[in-house]
Amino acid sequence: MDLSRFGLRSLPFTREIAVGDRFTYTPHDEAVEGLLSAVKMRACAALIAPAGTGKTLALRTLVDKLPQARYRVRYVKVTGLSKRDMCKEIAAACGISPVGSYPSLVRKLQDSFEGGHATDGLRPALLLDEAHDLPMTSLAMLRLLTNFEMDSRLVLSVVLAGQPPLRQMLSRAEMTAVAQRLAHVCSLRTLSRDETRSYVTHRLRIAGAKTDILDDEAHEALFEISCGNLRAIDHLAIKTLEVCDRAGAATISAKDIVAARSMLCV
């Protein structure tokens, strides 16, 4: 693709964006601040939002805001893992040997979190992404992982991130003990019409554009098709740039957006 055709230095709308270059809007900022407050209190929290609304970027922003001199943060995707396999993944992320039975792995993890905090003063924080895909038994295990000295000490902060089914799981009676450990639960939403336009122009500007290369009808079409979902916006916008590049066009019209839509599962 000839990006210079559009006045761009780099391809916009990819996932490769620095936290400092992210598009900021109120729901995202409020979610990050809520998670940050919980971690600073050494408590647990959850971020529950639909797919494509920026959960992982919110987690990246959270990590960016936690001083490395004070926190040791570990990130794990926990899709569909059994209790033992989840412990193994967490252990591997923490640099601990993932060998042993489920009870021994839980003890290893607890000893590591507690010992590291006592030795170097770094507060441990564990980010578990895609938590909505965890079996109920694996999610319930978090109650054990955060239990220190007969539940009398706050050592480990766990942040769960997942799609809306996670909220349904946490509302079940057998998950009460886990849900009660969450000091804060926040969410994200899709962008409004105006926010979508601002997001698109922001990403283009970050990529080097000096002017808005979408006309008003193109902005409307992009919003109507994507419904303000960040991931859908990104995919559709990139495909539209490809369409326009092949056609030799330097600006984007609604017709181009519709043409790109036919090539995607948006």
Side-chain angles (χ1 to χ4, degrees):
M1 189 189 305
D2 181 10
L3 295 177
S4 63
R5 181 193 309 280
F6 307 103
L8 301 173
R9 295 188 306 269
S10 59
L11 182 64
F13 307 109
T14 72
R15 290 178 293 178
E16 295 178 323
I17 183 168
V19 168
D21 289 335
R22 73 191 185 281
F23 174 70
T24 59
Y25 64 108
T26 300
H28 180 276
D29 293 343
E30 289 178 346
V32 172
E33 288 305 314
L35 298 176
L36 183 63
S37 177
V39 173
K40 286 182 176 180
M41 293 190 299
R42 292 179 292 179
C44 298
L47 171 60
I48 304 174
T53 53
K55 291 188 298 298
T56 302
L57 180 57
L59 294 181
R60 288 178 56 206
T61 306
L62 170 65
V63 173
D64 188 68
K65 288 179 174 288
L66 291 170
Q68 293 185 6
R70 187 175 301 172
Y71 294 92
R72 178 175 285 122
V73 184
R74 296 290 184 258
Y75 170 86
V76 181
K77 274 196 174 184
V78 291
T79 303
L81 298 177
S82 66
K83 292 188 298 183
R84 183 170 180 270
D85 285 344
M86 184 166 76
C87 284
K88 290 171 66 177
E89 287 295 318
I90 296 172
C94 295
I96 304 169
S97 172
V99 178
S101 64
Y102 164 63
S104 68
L105 284 169
V106 172
R107 287 194 296 272
K108 276 186 183 181
L109 289 171
Q110 286 188 313
D111 290 344
S112 174
F113 292 132
E114 190 169 24
H117 178 56
T119 301
D120 55 28
L122 296 179
R123 297 181 182 179
L126 181 62
L127 313 183
L128 300 181
D129 204 356
E130 307 296 342
H132 59 279
D133 277 337
L134 278 175
M136 297 284 287
T137 52
S138 299
L139 189 58
M141 187 272 293
L142 296 178
R143 176 176 55 87
L144 301 178
L145 201 58
T146 56
N147 188 329
F148 293 87
E149 294 187 9
M150 299 176 65
D151 227 7
S152 64
R153 291 183 59 214
L154 295 174
V155 175
L156 173 67
S157 294
V158 175
V159 175
L160 299 173
Q163 296 178 29
L166 176 60
R167 189 183 297 275
Q168 299 167 14
M169 292 168 63
L170 291 169
S171 68
R172 297 183 59 159
E174 59 267 40
M175 298 301 296
T176 299
V178 173
Q180 289 178 342
R181 289 176 182 270
L182 301 177
H184 185 74
V185 177
C186 55
S187 186
L188 296 171
R189 58 163 173 78
T190 55
L191 301 183
S192 67
R193 189 181 305 272
D194 289 342
E195 288 168 342
T196 297
R197 183 172 187 137
S198 296
Y199 171 75
V200 170
T201 56
H202 171 79
R203 292 301 301 266
L204 288 170
R205 185 171 61 254
I206 291 298
K210 301 299 183 183
T211 59
D212 188 355
I213 60 176
L214 283 76
D215 62 28
D216 289 341
E217 290 75 16
H219 276 292
E220 287 294 313
L222 188 56
F223 171 73
E224 291 295 337
I225 294 172
S226 69
C227 298
N229 182 284
L230 285 168
R231 186 176 300 155
I233 293 169
D234 290 343
H235 289 173
L236 184 53
I238 290 176
K239 184 58 69 175
T240 303
L241 287 173
E242 294 175 3
V243 168
C244 290
D245 182 58
R246 286 195 295 269
T251 57
I252 296 173
S253 69
K255 182 179 178 180
D256 299 320
I257 299 285
V258 173
R261 164 67 179 85
S262 67
M263 305 175 192
L264 294 172
C265 296
V266 177

